[in-house]
Amino acid sequence: MAASLHAAPAARAVQPPPAADPAGGGLSLEARLTAVEAAMSVRLDEAAVAYEVNTAHIDTEPVDLADVITVPLTPTLQPPPQPSTPQPGTPVAALLERARARMEADGWCAGALRDESGSVCLLGAIRKEAGGDRGLEADAASVVLDAIRRRFGDHVDSVPSFNDAHGSGRIPLRMLGEAASMAEAKGF
């Protein structure tokens, strides 16, 4: 009779029901947990042996982690990404594009200009990129508010209230990009 190449599945160990205590109380919780742990250990040992048998024919080479890990483990140490589009020619549009890139790099937050992890809100990104030029910052915030009101209506009171009304930075980030395009088109 020819031997089969496939290993037959091991017979499962059947655990007998726990014997009742002669006093009529049954097994204690600790005794039942110990019995289950022993049964699981037997099953895990059987599974490990079955795995070794089933994979013994697979030829593998050790993997050098230096060949696999090629990127930095901490992405926060990377420099912020450069905008993929050319810098707009107007000062406000350029500021808004830099603010969008800053928010992408640092992350978005609500309720503060900047949180403890370094994430920024709409106005925080504009302020950070304006570099202290309050006039340029005010012009950029005005363009962002105009872009927000065009898309969402005149009921939006301010840039911070719009930013704080969202649960993620997806829409505020998009509004910075739209505002940059609008500022470029208007020559701001």
Side-chain angles (χ1 to χ4, degrees):
M1 181 170 162
S4 172
L5 292 177
H6 300 286
R12 298 212 182 261
V14 178
Q15 180 179 356
D21 189 5
L27 290 177
S28 68
L29 177 61
E30 290 80 22
R32 287 184 292 174
L33 287 174
T34 303
V36 168
E37 181 183 10
M40 288 304 298
S41 295
V42 169
R43 291 178 73 185
L44 287 171
D45 289 343
E46 289 174 352
V49 170
Y51 176 79
E52 290 296 325
V53 168
N54 290 336
T55 59
H57 68 282
I58 300 174
D59 185 31
T60 59
E61 293 181 23
V63 175
D64 183 14
L65 290 180
D67 294 337
V68 177
I69 300 174
T70 59
V71 296
L73 296 177
T74 53
T76 57
L77 297 178
Q78 296 178 1
Q82 298 300 320
S84 58
T85 59
Q87 287 294 320
T90 64
V92 173
L95 170 61
L96 291 171
E97 190 58 41
R98 289 193 314 270
R100 184 189 62 75
R102 171 64 52 202
M103 188 181 287
E104 280 182 336
D106 292 352
W108 171 85
C109 73
L113 292 174
R114 182 181 179 133
D115 69 4
E116 62 276 353
S117 67
S119 299
V120 292
C121 73
L122 275 168
L123 195 56
I126 292 170
R127 183 166 291 170
K128 188 171 186 178
E129 291 300 319
D133 186 344
R134 294 292 186 176
L136 184 61
E137 178 185 328
D139 291 343
S142 176
V143 172
V144 170
L145 186 58
D146 287 345
I148 291 169
R149 286 180 174 163
R150 280 185 178 198
R151 174 154 309 230
F152 295 97
D154 289 333
H155 69 279
V156 178
D157 294 332
S158 66
V159 173
S161 66
F162 175 81
N163 181 78
D164 295 348
H166 289 85
S168 75
R170 186 176 58 88
I171 293 175
L173 189 63
R174 185 174 353 147
M175 292 315 300
L176 279 173
E178 287 183 21
S181 297
M182 195 167 98
E184 179 72 20
K186 289 185 173 185
F188 291 140

